[in-house]
């Protein structure tokens, strides 16, 4: 059964059409990009869209589209287009400096752990191997929830390919979310 709360988090067909018309009419501006894609803000909207060349990233967007209540650690995705490998998602806010520092410290400790283990480990393996001892509780709770979300995705070895870093995380509705994975 679809819950009213979930329906309110999804875009109506008219909202999708309006956003896609703005994209078609180039009513957007570039706000960031990396090796595998670019993110654009849609003029006058609280949504952004991303065009990606990364197959796994697009596969995740396809799985989590309109499932923000189920996949709480990923930024909500509202629309995907196979043809353009594009998806529309919520806009988010920058991390606080403290959150960024906590994530960066965790990431550095994870890298050291990965080198000592030979490289084929995930952030979840690190957390299980006592990585939580010196890690901020808020971050540990997020990573544990992320582990459950990654498991639900059902993508083989995605935990090993997860691009976990402070540059791929933001705040949405006062909680940490991955905006790039």
């Amino acid at each position: 059964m679809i819950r009213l709360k979930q329906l309110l988090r999804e875009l109506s067909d008219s909202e999708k059409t309006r956003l896609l018309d703005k994209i078609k009419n180039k009513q957007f501006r570039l706000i960031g990009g990396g090796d595998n894609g670019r993110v654009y803000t849609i003029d006058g909207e609280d949504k952004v869209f991303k065009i990606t060349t990364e197959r796994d990233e697009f596969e995740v967007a396809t799985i989590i589209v309109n499932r923000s209540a189920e996949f709480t650690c990923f930024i909500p995705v509202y629309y995907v287009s196979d043809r353009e490998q594009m998806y529309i998602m919520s806009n988010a806010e920058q991390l606080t400096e403290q959150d960024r520092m906590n994530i960066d410290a965790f990431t550095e400790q994870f890298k050291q752990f990965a080198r000592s283990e030979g490289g084929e480990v995930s952030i979840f393996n690190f957390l299980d191997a006592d990585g939580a001892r010196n890690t901020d509780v808020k971050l540990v709770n997020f990573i544990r929830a992320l582990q459950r979300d990654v498991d639900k995705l059902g993508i083989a070895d995605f935990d090993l390919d997860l691009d976990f870093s402070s540059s791929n995380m933001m705040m949405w509705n006062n909680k940490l979310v991955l905006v790039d994975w």
Side-chain angles (χ1 to χ4, degrees), residues 165-176:
S165 71
S166 63
S167 62
N168 292 336
M169 296 176 67
M170 297 182 86
M171 297 296 290
W172 181 75
N173 281 354
N174 296 316
K175 64 179 186 164
L176 293 170

Side-chain angles (χ1 to χ4, degrees), residues 81-93:
S81 171
D82 290 328
R83 192 169 8 125
E84 294 90 7
Q85 280 207 263
M86 179 268 290
Y87 52 94
I88 296 174
M89 58 189 165
S90 286
N91 199 1
E93 299 173 16

Side-chain angles (χ1 to χ4, degrees), residues 17 35 39 44 76 118 125 128 176:
T17 300
D35 294 337
V39 179
N125 299 130
D128 292 340
L176 293 170

Side-chain angles (χ1 to χ4, degrees), residues 9 17 25 35 55 70-71 81 89 102:
R9 290 183 179 157
T17 300
N25 294 322
D35 294 337
R55 184 186 56 79
E70 186 178 348
F71 293 95
S81 171
M89 58 189 165
N102 289 339

Side-chain angles (χ1 to χ4, degrees), residues 140-174:
V140 169
N141 291 338
F142 172 78
I143 294 170
R144 289 295 182 210
L146 178 61
Q147 184 174 18
R148 290 186 295 274
D149 281 1
V150 167
D151 289 345
K152 282 188 278 187
L153 288 171
I155 300 172
D157 294 330
F158 184 67
D159 60 328
L160 298 174
D161 296 328
L162 187 64
D163 195 1
F164 186 86
S165 71
S166 63
S167 62
N168 292 336
M169 296 176 67
M170 297 182 86
M171 297 296 290
W172 181 75
N173 281 354
N174 296 316

Side-chain angles (χ1 to χ4, degrees), residues 46-94:
D46 66 344
K47 306 288 186 279
V48 298
F49 72 97
K50 182 170 186 177
I51 299 173
T52 183
T53 59
E54 180 63 41
R55 184 186 56 79
D56 284 346
E57 181 179 340
F58 186 74
E59 183 179 0
V60 171
T62 302
I63 292 170
I64 68 173
V65 65
N66 291 322
R67 295 173 72 185
S68 61
E70 186 178 348
F71 293 95
T72 60
C73 295
F74 296 96
I75 190 76
V77 174
Y78 302 102
Y79 172 85
V80 294
S81 171
D82 290 328
R83 192 169 8 125
E84 294 90 7
Q85 280 207 263
M86 179 268 290
Y87 52 94
I88 296 174
M89 58 189 165
S90 286
N91 199 1
E93 299 173 16
Q94 296 296 319

